[in-house]
Short mmCIF file of all heavy atoms in Angstrom, two decimals:
data_model
loop_
_atom_site.label_atom_id
_atom_site.label_comp_id
_atom_site.label_asym_id
_atom_site.label_seq_id
_atom_site.Cartn_x
_atom_site.Cartn_y
_atom_site.Cartn_z
N ARG R 1034 23.73 -51.63 -23.37
CA ARG R 1034 23.55 -53.14 -23.21
C ARG R 1034 24.13 -53.87 -24.49
O ARG R 1034 24.27 -55.12 -24.35
CB ARG R 1034 22.17 -53.49 -22.96
CG ARG R 1034 21.46 -52.99 -21.76
CD ARG R 1034 20.14 -53.37 -21.32
NE ARG R 1034 19.27 -53.61 -22.46
CZ ARG R 1034 18.19 -54.44 -22.33
NH1 ARG R 1034 17.84 -55.02 -21.21
NH2 ARG R 1034 17.48 -54.67 -23.38
N TYR R 1035 24.24 -53.20 -25.49
CA TYR R 1035 24.75 -53.82 -26.71
C TYR R 1035 25.64 -52.82 -27.50
O TYR R 1035 25.51 -51.66 -27.27
CB TYR R 1035 23.66 -54.21 -27.70
CG TYR R 1035 22.72 -55.19 -27.16
CD1 TYR R 1035 21.53 -54.80 -26.43
CD2 TYR R 1035 22.90 -56.61 -27.35
CE1 TYR R 1035 20.66 -55.76 -25.90
CE2 TYR R 1035 22.05 -57.50 -26.80
CZ TYR R 1035 20.86 -57.09 -26.12
OH TYR R 1035 20.04 -58.02 -25.60
N ALA R 1036 26.53 -53.29 -28.38
CA ALA R 1036 27.33 -52.44 -29.21
C ALA R 1036 26.76 -52.21 -30.63
O ALA R 1036 26.33 -53.12 -31.34
CB ALA R 1036 28.67 -53.09 -29.35
N MET R 1037 26.57 -50.97 -30.91
CA MET R 1037 25.90 -50.61 -32.26
C MET R 1037 26.92 -50.65 -33.38
O MET R 1037 26.51 -50.79 -34.48
CB MET R 1037 25.29 -49.23 -32.13
CG MET R 1037 24.20 -49.09 -31.18
SD MET R 1037 22.81 -50.08 -31.41
CE MET R 1037 22.08 -49.33 -32.80
N VAL R 1038 28.18 -50.57 -33.05
CA VAL R 1038 29.18 -50.49 -34.10
C VAL R 1038 30.40 -51.37 -33.72
O VAL R 1038 30.77 -51.32 -32.54
CB VAL R 1038 29.76 -49.03 -34.43
CG1 VAL R 1038 30.88 -49.07 -35.38
CG2 VAL R 1038 28.54 -48.20 -35.01
N GLY R 1039 30.87 -52.25 -34.56
CA GLY R 1039 32.12 -52.95 -34.22
C GLY R 1039 33.12 -52.77 -35.49
O GLY R 1039 32.91 -52.07 -36.34
N ASP R 1040 34.10 -53.67 -35.43
CA ASP R 1040 35.23 -53.49 -36.38
C ASP R 1040 34.82 -53.77 -37.85
O ASP R 1040 35.20 -52.98 -38.71
CB ASP R 1040 36.44 -54.40 -36.08
CG ASP R 1040 36.05 -55.87 -35.94
OD1 ASP R 1040 34.98 -56.23 -36.01
OD2 ASP R 1040 37.10 -56.56 -35.88
N GLN R 1041 33.92 -54.61 -38.07
CA GLN R 1041 33.28 -54.92 -39.45
C GLN R 1041 32.68 -53.65 -39.88
O GLN R 1041 32.87 -53.38 -41.17
CB GLN R 1041 32.52 -56.12 -39.46
CG GLN R 1041 33.23 -57.42 -39.22
CD GLN R 1041 32.31 -58.58 -39.21
OE1 GLN R 1041 31.10 -58.49 -39.74
NE2 GLN R 1041 32.74 -59.85 -38.71
N LEU R 1042 31.82 -52.98 -39.20
CA LEU R 1042 31.16 -51.78 -39.64
C LEU R 1042 32.17 -50.61 -39.72
O LEU R 1042 32.05 -49.80 -40.64
CB LEU R 1042 30.05 -51.50 -38.70
CG LEU R 1042 28.87 -52.49 -38.59
CD1 LEU R 1042 27.83 -52.02 -37.63
CD2 LEU R 1042 28.43 -52.90 -39.98
N GLY R 1043 33.27 -50.62 -38.91
CA GLY R 1043 34.23 -49.56 -39.10
C GLY R 1043 34.97 -49.73 -40.44
O GLY R 1043 35.29 -48.75 -41.08
N VAL R 1044 35.27 -51.04 -40.79
CA VAL R 1044 35.86 -51.27 -42.11
C VAL R 1044 35.01 -50.75 -43.23
O VAL R 1044 35.31 -50.04 -44.21
CB VAL R 1044 36.20 -52.78 -42.30
CG1 VAL R 1044 36.59 -53.03 -43.74
CG2 VAL R 1044 37.35 -53.17 -41.31
N LEU R 1045 33.73 -51.07 -43.10
CA LEU R 1045 32.75 -50.53 -44.12
C LEU R 1045 32.74 -48.97 -44.21
O LEU R 1045 32.71 -48.42 -45.29
CB LEU R 1045 31.42 -50.97 -43.85
CG LEU R 1045 30.95 -52.32 -44.19
CD1 LEU R 1045 29.56 -52.76 -43.72
CD2 LEU R 1045 31.15 -52.64 -45.68
N ALA R 1046 32.88 -48.38 -42.98
CA ALA R 1046 32.83 -46.80 -43.06
C ALA R 1046 34.08 -46.26 -43.75
O ALA R 1046 34.00 -45.38 -44.54
CB ALA R 1046 32.85 -46.37 -41.63
N VAL R 1047 35.23 -46.88 -43.53
CA VAL R 1047 36.43 -46.49 -44.12
C VAL R 1047 36.38 -46.60 -45.58
O VAL R 1047 36.63 -45.78 -46.48
CB VAL R 1047 37.69 -47.13 -43.58
CG1 VAL R 1047 39.01 -46.77 -44.30
CG2 VAL R 1047 37.78 -46.70 -42.05
N LYS R 1048 35.98 -47.97 -45.99
CA LYS R 1048 35.95 -48.42 -47.45
C LYS R 1048 34.92 -47.47 -48.20
O LYS R 1048 35.29 -47.12 -49.42
CB LYS R 1048 35.48 -49.79 -47.52
CG LYS R 1048 35.23 -50.28 -48.88
CD LYS R 1048 34.71 -51.69 -48.79
CE LYS R 1048 34.23 -52.13 -50.21
NZ LYS R 1048 33.44 -53.37 -50.14
N ASN R 1049 33.82 -46.95 -47.60
CA ASN R 1049 32.88 -46.26 -48.38
C ASN R 1049 33.00 -44.81 -48.13
O ASN R 1049 32.06 -43.99 -48.55
CB ASN R 1049 31.57 -46.82 -48.06
CG ASN R 1049 31.40 -48.20 -48.67
OD1 ASN R 1049 31.72 -48.46 -49.75
ND2 ASN R 1049 30.87 -49.19 -47.83
N GLY R 1050 33.97 -44.24 -47.51
CA GLY R 1050 34.21 -42.89 -47.42
C GLY R 1050 33.33 -42.11 -46.44
O GLY R 1050 33.17 -40.85 -46.63
N TRP R 1051 33.11 -42.67 -45.33
CA TRP R 1051 32.46 -42.00 -44.31
C TRP R 1051 33.44 -41.14 -43.46
O TRP R 1051 34.51 -41.75 -43.15
CB TRP R 1051 31.58 -42.96 -43.48
CG TRP R 1051 30.46 -43.46 -44.05
CD1 TRP R 1051 30.35 -44.49 -44.93
CD2 TRP R 1051 29.13 -42.96 -44.04
NE1 TRP R 1051 29.05 -44.75 -45.37
CE2 TRP R 1051 28.25 -43.76 -44.89
CE3 TRP R 1051 28.45 -41.91 -43.44
CZ2 TRP R 1051 26.89 -43.51 -45.03
CZ3 TRP R 1051 27.10 -41.54 -43.64
CH2 TRP R 1051 26.31 -42.43 -44.47
N ALA R 1052 33.13 -40.06 -43.09
CA ALA R 1052 34.09 -39.15 -42.29
C ALA R 1052 34.20 -39.57 -40.79
O ALA R 1052 35.12 -39.50 -40.15
CB ALA R 1052 33.73 -37.63 -42.47
N GLY R 1053 32.94 -40.03 -40.33
CA GLY R 1053 32.71 -40.39 -38.91
C GLY R 1053 31.51 -40.96 -38.50
O GLY R 1053 30.64 -40.95 -39.36
N ILE R 1054 31.45 -41.46 -37.26
CA ILE R 1054 30.30 -42.10 -36.72
C ILE R 1054 30.13 -41.59 -35.32
O ILE R 1054 31.14 -41.55 -34.52
CB ILE R 1054 30.34 -43.61 -36.72
CG1 ILE R 1054 30.58 -44.18 -38.10
CG2 ILE R 1054 29.07 -44.21 -36.12
CD1 ILE R 1054 31.00 -45.72 -38.13
N VAL R 1055 28.93 -41.11 -34.94
CA VAL R 1055 28.71 -40.67 -33.55
C VAL R 1055 27.59 -41.59 -33.07
O VAL R 1055 26.48 -41.61 -33.70
CB VAL R 1055 28.21 -39.19 -33.50
CG1 VAL R 1055 27.83 -38.76 -31.99
CG2 VAL R 1055 29.40 -38.28 -34.00
N VAL R 1056 27.88 -42.32 -31.96
CA VAL R 1056 26.91 -43.27 -31.42
C VAL R 1056 26.40 -42.84 -30.12
O VAL R 1056 27.17 -42.78 -29.16
CB VAL R 1056 27.53 -44.72 -31.32
CG1 VAL R 1056 26.44 -45.74 -30.91
CG2 VAL R 1056 28.15 -45.08 -32.77
N TYR R 1057 25.12 -42.63 -29.98
CA TYR R 1057 24.44 -42.43 -28.70
C TYR R 1057 24.18 -43.82 -28.10
O TYR R 1057 22.99 -44.24 -28.12
CB TYR R 1057 23.27 -41.51 -28.81
CG TYR R 1057 22.66 -41.19 -27.36
CD1 TYR R 1057 23.41 -40.70 -26.37
CD2 TYR R 1057 21.26 -41.31 -27.32
CE1 TYR R 1057 22.73 -40.33 -25.17
CE2 TYR R 1057 20.67 -40.98 -26.16
CZ TYR R 1057 21.46 -40.60 -25.10
OH TYR R 1057 20.80 -40.26 -23.79
N GLY R 1058 25.21 -44.39 -27.72
CA GLY R 1058 25.21 -45.81 -27.31
C GLY R 1058 26.69 -46.32 -27.30
O GLY R 1058 27.60 -45.54 -27.17
N CYS R 1059 26.82 -47.68 -27.43
CA CYS R 1059 28.18 -48.16 -27.33
C CYS R 1059 28.63 -48.76 -28.66
O CYS R 1059 27.96 -49.09 -29.58
CB CYS R 1059 28.13 -49.42 -26.21
SG CYS R 1059 27.93 -48.79 -24.62
N ILE R 1060 29.98 -49.03 -28.72
CA ILE R 1060 30.66 -49.74 -29.79
C ILE R 1060 31.40 -50.92 -29.15
O ILE R 1060 31.55 -51.04 -27.90
CB ILE R 1060 31.70 -48.83 -30.53
CG1 ILE R 1060 32.81 -48.49 -29.63
CG2 ILE R 1060 30.97 -47.66 -31.09
CD1 ILE R 1060 34.08 -48.03 -30.35
N ARG R 1061 32.01 -51.81 -30.03
CA ARG R 1061 32.86 -52.81 -29.49
C ARG R 1061 34.06 -52.93 -30.48
O ARG R 1061 34.04 -52.12 -31.50
CB ARG R 1061 32.13 -54.22 -29.48
CG ARG R 1061 31.63 -54.79 -30.83
CD ARG R 1061 30.87 -55.91 -30.52
NE ARG R 1061 30.89 -56.83 -31.61
CZ ARG R 1061 30.53 -58.10 -31.52
NH1 ARG R 1061 30.26 -58.57 -30.46
NH2 ARG R 1061 30.64 -58.90 -32.52
N ASP R 1062 34.96 -53.82 -30.25
CA ASP R 1062 36.16 -53.92 -31.09
C ASP R 1062 36.94 -52.51 -31.00
O ASP R 1062 37.55 -52.06 -32.06
CB ASP R 1062 35.95 -54.32 -32.51
CG ASP R 1062 35.09 -55.63 -32.57
OD1 ASP R 1062 35.49 -56.56 -31.79
OD2 ASP R 1062 34.05 -55.72 -33.30
N SER R 1063 37.05 -51.91 -29.81
CA SER R 1063 37.59 -50.53 -29.79
C SER R 1063 39.08 -50.54 -30.28
O SER R 1063 39.55 -49.55 -30.79
CB SER R 1063 37.38 -50.00 -28.41
OG SER R 1063 38.00 -50.82 -27.44
N LYS R 1064 39.81 -51.56 -29.99
CA LYS R 1064 41.21 -51.56 -30.27
C LYS R 1064 41.39 -51.54 -31.77
O LYS R 1064 42.13 -50.72 -32.43
CB LYS R 1064 41.94 -52.72 -29.63
CG LYS R 1064 43.43 -52.70 -30.05
CD LYS R 1064 44.14 -53.88 -29.21
CE LYS R 1064 45.63 -53.75 -29.55
NZ LYS R 1064 46.37 -54.89 -28.92
N ALA R 1065 40.61 -52.33 -32.53
CA ALA R 1065 40.66 -52.36 -33.99
C ALA R 1065 40.20 -51.04 -34.59
O ALA R 1065 40.82 -50.51 -35.42
CB ALA R 1065 39.86 -53.54 -34.51
N ILE R 1066 39.09 -50.50 -34.04
CA ILE R 1066 38.51 -49.24 -34.56
C ILE R 1066 39.54 -48.14 -34.37
O ILE R 1066 39.62 -47.22 -35.16
CB ILE R 1066 37.23 -48.97 -33.91
CG1 ILE R 1066 36.19 -49.97 -34.42
CG2 ILE R 1066 36.69 -47.54 -34.11
CD1 ILE R 1066 34.83 -49.94 -33.76
N GLY R 1067 40.29 -48.21 -33.28
CA GLY R 1067 41.33 -47.14 -32.90
C GLY R 1067 42.40 -47.09 -34.00
O GLY R 1067 42.97 -45.97 -34.20
N GLY R 1068 42.52 -48.07 -34.89
CA GLY R 1068 43.58 -48.09 -36.04
C GLY R 1068 42.96 -47.75 -37.24
O GLY R 1068 43.70 -47.79 -38.32
N MET R 1069 41.68 -47.44 -37.30
CA MET R 1069 41.04 -47.13 -38.61
C MET R 1069 40.97 -45.67 -38.85
O MET R 1069 40.88 -44.82 -38.00
CB MET R 1069 39.62 -47.75 -38.63
CG MET R 1069 39.64 -49.19 -38.52
SD MET R 1069 37.93 -49.85 -38.52
CE MET R 1069 38.20 -51.59 -38.15
N ASP R 1070 40.96 -45.35 -40.23
CA ASP R 1070 40.96 -43.96 -40.68
C ASP R 1070 39.62 -43.36 -40.71
O ASP R 1070 39.12 -43.04 -41.76
CB ASP R 1070 41.72 -43.90 -42.01
CG ASP R 1070 41.92 -42.43 -42.48
OD1 ASP R 1070 42.07 -41.53 -41.49
OD2 ASP R 1070 42.01 -42.20 -43.66
N VAL R 1071 38.95 -43.36 -39.56
CA VAL R 1071 37.56 -42.80 -39.49
C VAL R 1071 37.40 -42.34 -38.09
O VAL R 1071 38.05 -42.90 -37.11
CB VAL R 1071 36.60 -43.95 -39.77
CG1 VAL R 1071 36.52 -45.10 -38.79
CG2 VAL R 1071 35.16 -43.33 -39.91
N GLY R 1072 36.55 -41.36 -37.82
CA GLY R 1072 36.31 -40.84 -36.53
C GLY R 1072 35.15 -41.71 -35.87
O GLY R 1072 34.16 -41.94 -36.56
N VAL R 1073 35.20 -42.07 -34.77
CA VAL R 1073 34.16 -42.70 -34.05
C VAL R 1073 34.04 -42.18 -32.54
O VAL R 1073 34.99 -42.29 -31.89
CB VAL R 1073 34.31 -44.27 -33.96
CG1 VAL R 1073 33.22 -44.91 -33.18
CG2 VAL R 1073 34.49 -44.86 -35.40
N PHE R 1074 32.87 -41.64 -32.28
CA PHE R 1074 32.58 -41.17 -30.95
C PHE R 1074 31.39 -42.01 -30.36
O PHE R 1074 30.39 -42.26 -31.17
CB PHE R 1074 32.23 -39.77 -30.85
CG PHE R 1074 33.39 -38.70 -31.01
CD1 PHE R 1074 34.48 -39.04 -31.39
CD2 PHE R 1074 33.17 -37.43 -30.47
CE1 PHE R 1074 35.61 -38.13 -31.47
CE2 PHE R 1074 34.03 -36.56 -30.48
CZ PHE R 1074 35.35 -36.82 -30.98
N ALA R 1075 31.53 -42.43 -29.14
CA ALA R 1075 30.39 -43.19 -28.59
C ALA R 1075 30.50 -43.04 -27.03
O ALA R 1075 31.38 -42.41 -26.56
CB ALA R 1075 30.66 -44.79 -28.78
N LEU R 1076 29.34 -43.47 -26.36
CA LEU R 1076 29.26 -43.32 -24.93
C LEU R 1076 30.25 -44.16 -24.22
O LEU R 1076 30.78 -43.90 -23.13
CB LEU R 1076 27.91 -43.68 -24.35
CG LEU R 1076 26.80 -42.72 -24.97
CD1 LEU R 1076 25.48 -43.18 -24.36
CD2 LEU R 1076 27.02 -41.27 -24.54
N GLY R 1077 30.61 -45.40 -24.78
CA GLY R 1077 31.54 -46.35 -24.16
C GLY R 1077 31.55 -47.61 -24.97
O GLY R 1077 31.16 -47.55 -26.25
N THR R 1078 32.14 -48.68 -24.39
CA THR R 1078 32.26 -49.95 -25.11
C THR R 1078 31.33 -51.03 -24.33
O THR R 1078 31.04 -50.91 -23.25
CB THR R 1078 33.65 -50.40 -25.15
OG1 THR R 1078 34.19 -50.61 -23.82
CG2 THR R 1078 34.49 -49.37 -25.89
N HIS R 1079 31.02 -52.10 -25.23
CA HIS R 1079 30.28 -53.14 -24.75
C HIS R 1079 30.63 -54.38 -25.63
O HIS R 1079 30.60 -54.27 -26.82
CB HIS R 1079 28.76 -53.00 -24.82
CG HIS R 1079 28.04 -53.92 -23.83
ND1 HIS R 1079 27.97 -55.23 -24.15
CD2 HIS R 1079 27.49 -53.72 -22.61
CE1 HIS R 1079 27.23 -55.88 -23.16
NE2 HIS R 1079 27.03 -54.96 -22.24
N PRO R 1080 30.89 -55.55 -25.07
CA PRO R 1080 31.31 -56.67 -26.01
C PRO R 1080 30.24 -57.33 -26.74
O PRO R 1080 30.50 -57.99 -27.71
CB PRO R 1080 32.03 -57.67 -25.05
CG PRO R 1080 31.44 -57.37 -23.75
CD PRO R 1080 31.14 -55.86 -23.76
N ARG R 1081 28.98 -57.18 -26.35
CA ARG R 1081 27.81 -57.93 -26.89
C ARG R 1081 27.26 -57.18 -28.19
O ARG R 1081 27.10 -56.06 -28.21
CB ARG R 1081 26.72 -57.92 -25.87
CG ARG R 1081 25.48 -58.79 -26.45
CD ARG R 1081 24.43 -59.01 -25.40
NE ARG R 1081 24.92 -60.15 -24.52
CZ ARG R 1081 24.78 -60.21 -23.26
NH1 ARG R 1081 24.09 -59.18 -22.60
NH2 ARG R 1081 25.18 -61.15 -22.61
#
């Protein structure tokens, strides 16, 4: 029903040296996250 991670959080992950994020839930801003140097796995996407 909501996105736990978006592009701003993806930027933080890259900037602070996180290898990846696994979300048992959804993310948003998937196009932007797809261009980031971090691994992100999630169940799906949601815009909210």
Side-chain angles (χ1 to χ4, degrees):
R1034 299 185 331 155
Y1035 297 91
M1037 299 299 290
V1038 173
D1040 60 349
Q1041 293 178 13
L1042 298 182
V1044 167
L1045 283 175
V1047 172
K1048 175 184 169 189
N1049 291 313
W1051 289 85
I1054 304 168
V1055 175
V1056 184
Y1057 184 48
C1059 291
I1060 67 156
R1061 66 187 207 162
D1062 304 315
S1063 60
K1064 184 174 182 179
I1066 288 172
M1069 295 181 189
D1070 191 27
V1071 65
V1073 178
F1074 278 25
L1076 298 178
T1078 61
H1079 197 289
R1081 179 174 283 142

